[in-house]
C-alpha cells in the first residue's frame, strides 16, 4: 500500500513563503489554497497531500504521525517541545527573533515580575534560567498591550522590524532565540517512508540553497 506523504503547513504568512520552496521541489497544490476553505489539498505530486493548519498545531500533527512531515516555526517547536520529532532542515524563511520586551526605559519591579506571552513555556524557561521570580500570564494576541495597561512588566514575543514595539512605546530587551521555519519529520514515518521522505527533503534542501 502506497499511502500519500502528508505534509502539514502553517497557514498565513509562513505559507506564502513555504509554497515556492515546495513548488521548486515539484509539489504544488492543485487548487489555490488562499481561495479555498478546504484544509487538505492534493498536489501535482500524486503521492503528496498538504494539510494547512495553525502553526501551533503543526508539531502536534507531526508528533502524532497524522502528518508525516511539517513546516513549523522554531518558536512553536521551542514552545511545544520538538524532542519527539526530527528537525531536518532550516528553511531559512519567516525569519524573526523571539525576544523579551518592556516599556521603554522602565525598570523591572523588585521581587516578582509579571511576564505576559502566548509562549508561556518559553517564558517560564527564560525566567527560570535567569532566576527571575515570575508570574506568567497567558495571552493569545496583542501582547504589546499588556505592559501599557499594567497587566505585565515584560512580554515574550516575536520581533521582526521592532516597529510594533516602537509604535507602542516599548523596546526589545533580551534575545531568547533566532527563529525561522523548520522542516520537521515524524520519527516513525522517517523509518517507514524513508526513501520518499529523503527524496522530498533533498529537493526542498536544493530549493533552499538555490534561494540564498
Ligand atoms: P515587527 O513590528 O516587524 O517587529 O513585527 C512584530 C509582529 O509581527 C509580531 O507581533 C508578530 O506577531 C508578527 N511577526 C513578525 N514576523 C513574524 C514571523 N516570522 N512569524 C510569525 N509572526 C511574525
Amino acid at each position: 500500500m502506497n499511502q500519500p506523504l502528508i505534509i502539514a503547513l502553517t497557514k498565513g504568512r509562513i505559507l506564502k513563503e513555504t509554497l515556492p520552496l515546495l513548488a521548486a521541489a515539484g509539489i504544488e497544490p492543485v487548487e489555490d489554497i488562499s481561495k479555498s476553505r478546504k484544509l487538505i489539498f492534493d498536489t501535482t505530486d500524486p503521492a503528496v497531500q498538504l494539510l494547512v493548519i495553525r502553526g501551533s498545531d503543526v508539531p502536534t500533527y507531526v508528533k502524532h504521525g497524522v502528518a508525516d512531515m511539517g513546516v513549523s516555526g522554531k518558536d512553536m517547536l521551542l514552545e511545544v517541545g520538538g524532542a519527539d520529532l526530527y528537525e531536518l532542515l532550516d528553511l531559512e524563511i519567516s525569519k524573526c527573533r523571539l525576544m523579551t520586551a518592556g516599556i521603554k526605559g522602565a525598570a523591572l519591579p523588585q521581587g516578582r515580575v509579571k511576564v505576559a506571552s502566548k509562549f508561556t513555556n518559553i517564558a517560564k524557561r527564560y525566567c527560570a534560567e535567569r532566576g527571575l521570580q515570575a508570574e506568567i500570564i497567558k495571552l493569545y494576541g496583542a501582547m504589546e498591550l499588556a505592559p501599557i495597561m499594567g497587566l505585565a512588566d515584560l512580554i515574550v514575543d516575536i520581533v521582526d522590524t521592532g516597529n510594533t514595539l516602537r509604535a507602542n512605546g516599548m523596546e526589545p530587551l533580551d534575545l531568547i532565540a533566532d527563529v525561522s521555519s523548520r522542516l520537521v519529520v515524524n520519527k516513525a514515518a522517517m523509518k517507514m517512508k524513508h526513501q520518499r521522505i529523503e527524496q522530498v527533503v533533498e529537493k526542498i534542501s536544493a530549493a533552499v540553497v538555490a534561494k540564498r
Side-chain angles (χ1 to χ4, degrees):
M1 269 283 290
N2 233 354
Q3 287 172 330
L5 203 61
I6 298 181
I7 308 179
L9 303 181
T10 296
K11 66 180 177 190
R13 76 163 84 188
I14 297 180
L15 183 67
K16 287 201 193 86
E17 295 185 55
T18 307
L19 289 177
L21 286 180
L22 290 179
I27 301 165
E28 285 183 83
V30 292
E31 61 188 295
D32 186 346
I33 291 181
S34 65
K35 294 206 174 95
S36 173
R37 289 182 163 264
K38 279 203 212 163
L39 303 169
I40 306 175
F41 294 87
D42 289 326
T43 71
T44 46
D45 182 336
V48 177
Q49 282 185 324
L50 304 177
L51 301 184
V52 181
I53 55 182
R54 280 180 74 107
S56 49
D57 290 335
V58 169
T60 309
Y61 272 76
V62 177
K63 274 185 194 183
H64 286 264
V66 175
D68 301 297
M69 309 169 71
V71 173
S72 177
K74 182 69 181 174
D75 49 342
M76 292 305 166
L77 295 174
L78 289 170
E79 177 62 16
V80 303
D84 302 337
L85 32 81
Y86 294 122
E87 189 182 313
L88 288 193
L89 210 57
D90 183 345
L91 298 178
E92 300 176 15
I93 54 171
S94 303
K95 288 186 186 173
C96 54
R97 286 156 296 155
L98 198 52
M99 301 194 72
T100 61
I103 290 185
K104 200 165 189 292
L108 284 184
Q110 298 289 322
R112 214 166 153 83
V113 175
K114 288 185 284 179
V115 183
S117 187
K118 68 174 177 185
F119 304 102
T120 49
N121 293 323
I122 294 171
K124 259 181 227 154
R125 278 203 303 273
Y126 169 84
C127 293
E129 280 164 13
R130 275 156 192 77
L132 265 184
Q133 268 226 40
E135 177 189 348
I136 310 289
I137 300 164
K138 170 86 182 182
L139 287 179
Y140 293 88
M143 251 74 74
E144 306 77 25
L145 203 54
I148 297 168
M149 300 305 289
L151 180 66
D153 306 300
L154 286 178
I155 60 171
V156 171
D157 199 9
I158 297 289
V159 181
D160 182 10
T161 60
N163 288 341
T164 308
L165 290 177
R166 272 190 295 277
N168 289 289
M170 296 179 62
E171 61 183 353
L173 299 168
D174 280 352
L175 174 69
I176 298 178
D178 284 308
V179 171
S180 57
S181 294
R182 310 294 161 97
L183 189 68
V184 292
V185 178
N186 173 271
K187 286 191 171 174
M190 192 66 186
K191 287 202 192 90
M192 311 280 286
K193 302 182 179 179
H194 188 262
Q195 212 177 352
R196 291 176 52 214
I197 289 177
E198 197 92 302
Q199 281 169 357
V200 169
V201 171
E202 259 171 39
K203 284 187 197 161
I204 296 176
S205 176
V208 172
V209 172
K211 194 168 164 278
R212 273 183 196 146

